[in-house]
Amino acid sequence: MISEHPRVRFAPSPTGYLHVGGLRTALYNYLFAKNQNGKFILRIEDTDRNRFVEGAVENLINVLKWIGLDYDEGPAKGGNYGPYMQSERLDIYKKYAEELIEKKHAYYCFCSPERLSEVKEEQKQKGLQPKYDKHCLSLSREEIENNIKSGMPYVVRLNVPPDLKVAFDDIVRGHVEFDSNGIDDQVLIKSDGYPTYHMANVVDDHFMKITHVVRGEEWLSSTPKHVLLYDAFGWEKPQFAHLPLLLNPDRSKLSKRQGDVAVEDYRAKGYLKEALLNFVALLGWNAGDDVEFYYLDEMIKKFSLERVNKSGAVFDLAKLHWLNAEHLRKLPDRDLLRLLREELAASKFKNNDYSDEYLLKVITAMKERVSFVREYIEKSPYFFERPETYEENAVKKSWKENTPELLKKLIEAFSKLDSPNKEDYENVLHKTAEELQVGNAKLIHPVRLATSGLSAGPGLFDILVILGKEETIFRLQDALERVKI
RNA sequence: GGCGCGUUCGUCUAGUGGCUUAGGACGCCGCCCUCUCAAGGCGGAGACCACCGGUUCGAAUCCGGUACGCGCUACCA
């Protein structure tokens, strides 16, 4: 059954956004496909008309594109096994539902929602498991034809045989077994003519030649129904791999209420796609070594479904944050430059002109100090504007009675420099401190405060070089007037 | 309730019967570096491997039970 070129699919329903759990499922499918030299297919499971969301499919495709999980076949791209939107495959489901009815593996059901809930209620009171009572299974051919002719709404149900062990071997969970008596006669075709997930899923996976079904654990309990369907059709079953769930910090299933769940939310917050992918990959998988920092191509090389964990994983923002900083630091400068420019364009500095050379200097100075691109601006606004205020605590700490006097001497010394570099500033400052018989710190801290308005940042002399002599002197003089003890 | 799945530091995890006084990472704390903040280096606290029983010379690792958590139990996926 292990095909040489596996075909896997990511099959989300278009509910409006891509959930990070969905991203992880998509990623594992993608990694597995690429690792095995197989195909990664995108299929849209839009069989619930009540949950249809305008633009959701486009959005999904855009997010996948942004994050770099390129699919081989799917909507807007095509392929030999389309269409890849289930709403465009209704005829296929209908045809195969009829085949199942022919074979007595499925049957028409005309029961009203009212009768269904009555039956269920009765069973509950008797302490039985609520299950459809196969009432319509015994309808005669004439009754069925008359009902249909008279326009009575109906569904098609799977005829689950009693007393059957339904078993399968899951790649991550091993041997799993269910008793068919515990499986309801699942609706296959709804009264609106649309298939349910189970029907559409099995039919599509078969005709799209899917070899491995890699999906969330919430589907594990439904898998026996799918197994029954494959058997009823006489089709070869794919391999199953059920992934552990992503959890909230309180270990409940990851939900909107307790934080962001949409990939776009994280994107909007400034997380890099590299970090998101890296983070989510490690939630339930590791290569068995100590590597935690990954690029997509390395993950592809090392990924295997056999090394996927069984237990749910808490989505830990602190680690995502660290990975983001880590990826950001390792990003090539030209990428950082592009990202910084995007960030600037969306900031209050959008009308200012900065040369690549200037921004690259800022990047070099701040690289080790930021976790998000926006922090290049937030943590060092002084590279983009003169300080408006001076950090209060820092003033208290380093701006002394004699500071103005010392700074005046330093300004004088700086003025004499001719296009100074880092060492020139440093030497002059040291020399001035010596002449004034004070420690370097007595000058360094006030200068930092005067030029940046802050007490923390890159090395002072790096800042001065970036600002340039003229601006440095201006800011020093400006501070002389504006800093109040 | 029924069925299924799961349970190793706060979190992500390594571990597939002896190499384990249970390893790594994030976070936290301390030290070093140092003009500050980071980054980096070094170190520390943190897990009676859910619990009980069994198998074995030996168990986090195998078996059974219990507890707890989660999932499913829809004409939602």
Side-chain angles (χ1 to χ4, degrees):
Chain A
M1 171 74 220
I2 303 285
S3 163
E4 220 178 312
H5 296 291
R7 292 172 56 82
V8 296
R9 94 282 125 116
F10 174 51
S13 57
T15 53
Y17 58 88
L18 178 57
H19 190 281
V20 288
L23 173 65
R24 207 261 321 250
T25 302
L27 177 61
Y28 283 14
N29 272 287
Y30 177 88
L31 293 176
F32 176 71
K34 297 301 157 189
N35 175 274
Q36 301 278 311
N37 200 3
K39 296 282 185 233
F40 173 59
I41 292 136
L42 176 65
R43 184 175 72 220
I44 304 297
E45 311 232 330
D46 56 343
T47 57
D48 185 357
R49 292 194 292 180
N50 299 322
R51 292 216 293 181
F52 178 76
V53 175
E54 193 73 48
V57 176
E58 292 74 13
N59 185 271
L60 205 62
I61 291 172
N62 283 339
V63 173
L64 284 176
K65 191 174 176 188
W66 170 70
I67 207 138
L69 298 185
D70 202 15
Y71 51 90
D72 299 300
E73 298 169 25
K77 192 157 205 165
N80 297 328
Y81 303 90
Y84 295 91
M85 302 273 288
Q86 290 186 329
S87 57
E88 293 170 17
R89 302 170 64 83
L90 265 26
D91 292 348
I92 305 174
Y93 309 126
K94 188 162 185 272
K95 178 180 167 201
Y96 285 91
E98 278 162 9
E99 180 184 320
L100 242 30
I101 293 167
E102 279 306 306
K103 291 180 174 169
K104 306 275 185 219
H105 286 128
Y107 59 95
Y108 291 105
C109 170
F110 300 91
C111 289
S112 65
E114 290 73 34
R115 193 187 101 81
L116 255 27
S117 57
E118 272 169 35
V119 171
K120 221 162 251 185
E121 205 42 53
E122 209 172 298
Q123 289 165 330
K124 256 187 199 165
Q125 288 196 341
K126 285 184 192 159
L128 294 167
Q129 184 206 348
K131 228 172 93 176
Y132 182 61
D133 60 0
K134 289 183 185 276
H135 177 262
C136 290
L137 181 58
S138 52
L139 256 35
S140 70
R141 193 170 273 268
E142 290 70 40
E143 282 175 293
I144 293 169
E145 276 168 17
N146 285 337
N147 281 165
I148 292 176
K149 236 177 254 167
S150 70
M152 197 183 274
Y154 64 87
V155 301
V156 176
R157 285 182 185 275
L158 177 64
N159 184 196
V160 177
D163 306 319
L164 202 69
K165 287 261 172 280
V166 185
F168 57 95
D169 291 298
D170 190 279
I171 296 175
V172 345
R173 271 145 229 286
H175 189 78
V176 185
E177 217 171 77
F178 292 81
D179 184 335
S180 73
N181 292 324
I183 303 170
D184 203 354
D185 277 7
Q186 186 63 49
V187 169
L188 264 20
I189 303 287
K190 300 181 255 186
S191 57
D192 64 4
Y194 276 66
T196 57
Y197 172 88
H198 307 94
M199 178 70 182
N201 203 258
V202 167
V203 169
D204 288 348
D205 283 346
H206 177 255
F207 288 108
M208 293 181 182
K209 299 201 184 322
I210 299 303
T211 59
H212 301 254
V213 170
V214 181
R215 76 225 306 187
E217 194 195 345
E218 67 267 29
W219 294 109
L220 190 63
S221 304
S222 303
T223 305
K225 293 170 192 169
H226 306 162
V227 169
L228 249 19
L229 273 171
Y230 281 105
D231 289 348
F233 281 121
W235 293 340
E236 191 182 4
K237 291 180 274 288
Q239 294 267 111
F240 294 102
H242 287 93
L243 275 19
L245 259 18
L246 259 33
L247 273 24
N248 288 313
D250 69 358
R251 306 206 74 85
S252 56
K253 190 174 159 185
L254 191 64
S255 69
K256 243 181 187 170
R257 281 199 72 121
Q258 298 195 37
D260 295 315
V261 295
V263 172
E264 296 141 273
D265 292 337
Y266 290 95
R267 181 187 182 182
K269 287 193 168 180
Y271 287 97
L272 297 171
K273 60 183 184 200
E274 291 87 350
L276 224 34
L277 248 16
N278 189 163
F279 174 61
V280 116
L282 259 19
L283 254 27
W285 169 83
N286 75 84
D289 52 28
D290 286 340
V291 179
E292 304 231 44
F293 183 87
Y294 278 105
Y295 290 115
L296 194 55
D297 55 348
E298 273 305 306
M299 287 191 246
I300 290 171
K301 278 185 205 149
K302 289 191 177 180
F303 188 80
S304 76
L305 287 171
E306 284 72 22
R307 287 207 59 89
V308 170
N309 290 143
K310 294 173 174 60
S311 53
V314 172
F315 196 84
D316 177 25
L317 262 357
K319 193 145 187 175
L320 207 209
H321 190 279
W322 169 73
L323 271 173
N324 202 63
E326 205 70 359
H327 272 99
L328 195 58
R329 279 193 285 273
K330 290 187 173 146
L331 225 48
D333 284 356
R334 60 173 188 283
D335 290 340
L336 286 172
L337 180 63
R338 199 192 73 240
L339 292 170
L340 213 205
R341 282 210 179 276
E342 279 172 21
E343 203 65 41
L344 281 166
S347 76
K348 62 175 171 174
F349 305 120
K350 59 169 172 277
N351 295 321
N352 298 9
D353 242 3
Y354 303 103
S355 68
D356 283 357
E357 194 198 353
Y358 183 78
L359 294 180
L360 253 6
K361 281 190 212 162
V362 172
I363 286 169
T364 305
M366 290 303 292
K367 210 170 183 174
E368 306 283 278
R369 279 160 257 264
V370 296
S371 299
F372 294 92
V373 177
R374 73 177 122 75
E375 289 180 348
Y376 276 104
I377 301 172
E378 289 172 0
K379 287 195 168 176
S380 55
Y382 46 86
F383 287 133
F384 307 99
E385 65 180 347
R386 288 170 176 159
E388 286 166 19
T389 57
Y390 302 93
E391 201 183 308
E392 210 177 302
N393 286 336
V395 171
K396 231 177 262 173
K397 209 169 162 189
S398 59
W399 201 275
K400 304 296 180 199
E401 203 75 46
N402 64 341
T403 298
E405 188 185 324
L406 302 179
L407 286 188
K408 276 176 197 159
K409 291 278 180 209
L410 189 63
I411 291 168
E412 254 174 59
F414 278 175
S415 303
K416 290 176 192 150
L417 290 168
D418 184 21
S419 52
N421 61 24
K422 189 175 159 181
E423 286 69 35
D424 297 332
Y425 281 119
E426 193 162 4
N427 290 337
V428 166
L429 185 138
H430 288 333
K431 223 174 106 194
T432 307
E434 206 176 307
E435 283 167 15
L436 294 167
Q437 295 191 315
V438 294
N440 294 330
K442 286 272 185 280
L443 288 174
I444 285 174
H445 294 299
V447 171
R448 172 183 294 283
L449 189 62
T451 52
S452 75
L454 302 174
S455 61
L460 176 66
F461 305 109
D462 291 314
I463 295 178
L464 300 188
V465 168
I466 291 171
L467 293 178
K469 175 180 149 184
E470 208 177 309
E471 182 66 18
T472 296
I473 290 173
F474 178 91
R475 290 190 185 187
L476 286 171
Q477 267 160 348
D478 196 33
L480 248 25
E481 287 168 32
R482 293 171 52 214
V483 175
K484 301 272 183 307
I485 303 179

